[in-house]
Amino acid sequence: MSALTSYRVTWEQKGIDKSHTETCIVDSDDMTRPGDPEQRNGLLRKMLAIRYLPTGYAVPDNVVLQDVVPVCNCEPYPGQDCAFAYHGGERFYLTASSQPGYEVIRDHHREKVLGNVCHTLSVEFLTLVREKYGHQ
């Protein structure tokens, strides 16, 4: 199943100190390694080069990514508020667990527990959950 993810990308052309911010969409069908940020960034650089660089410079190596931020997919129209704006735009968050050495990953949408995670891995796991599921 194809998944489209929007990103707000700040970039500049190599050798030119002027940054631009654009919204780009990545289709999971274009990725052989879904969830791989390196492959995602390569697709974004290619897209930006083709769309914005002059002929002769339109190659991914001429695009320097400064910042790549997923755009909340619960924003049906540009400028409309995110359903999770009250929570800092985050659907998933960590809370303390009743088990020592663990933290709980919760979902603001249904206030349900996604799972207990060892505290040494909780932030990394939360980041993966946020990247994979966003605000779907």
Side-chain angles (χ1 to χ4, degrees):
M1 182 172 85
S2 176
L4 299 176
T5 306
S6 297
Y7 295 94
R8 192 165 294 112
V9 182
T10 303
W11 65 281
E12 66 182 34
Q13 183 177 345
K14 189 183 246 180
I16 299 177
D17 290 335
K18 182 180 179 196
S19 65
H20 310 274
T21 300
E22 308 294 340
T23 300
C24 300
I25 297 173
V26 174
D27 187 341
S28 64
D29 283 349
D30 294 338
M31 298 183 71
T32 56
R33 301 178 313 268
D36 179 10
E38 188 175 319
Q39 186 179 33
R40 176 204 64 201
N41 289 350
L43 289 170
L44 291 170
R45 281 194 300 275
K46 180 179 177 182
M47 183 184 313
L48 291 165
I50 291 169
R51 194 180 300 162
Y52 297 105
L53 295 183
T55 305
Y57 294 95
V59 292
D61 289 341
N62 286 331
V63 173
V64 178
L65 299 180
Q66 296 172 335
D67 195 25
V68 177
V69 179
V71 175
C72 175
N73 58 9
C74 71
E75 294 178 18
Y77 303 103
Q80 191 172 34
D81 287 339
C82 164
F84 300 98
Y86 179 77
H87 305 288
E90 301 293 356
R91 176 177 173 179
F92 304 103
Y93 65 103
L94 289 173
T95 60
S97 174
S98 58
Q99 288 181 287
Y102 284 83
E103 291 182 280
V104 176
I105 295 181
R106 293 184 177 270
D107 181 347
H108 279 299
H109 182 61
R110 295 183 187 94
E111 281 305 322
K112 83 179 206 183
V113 173
L114 295 176
N116 275 335
V117 181
C118 177
H119 69 77
T120 58
L121 299 174
S122 59
V123 173
E124 185 176 340
F125 191 75
L126 177 64
T127 301
L128 292 172
V129 168
R130 285 178 174 167
E131 284 180 3
K132 181 161 176 86
Y133 297 105
H135 292 192
Q136 303 170 8

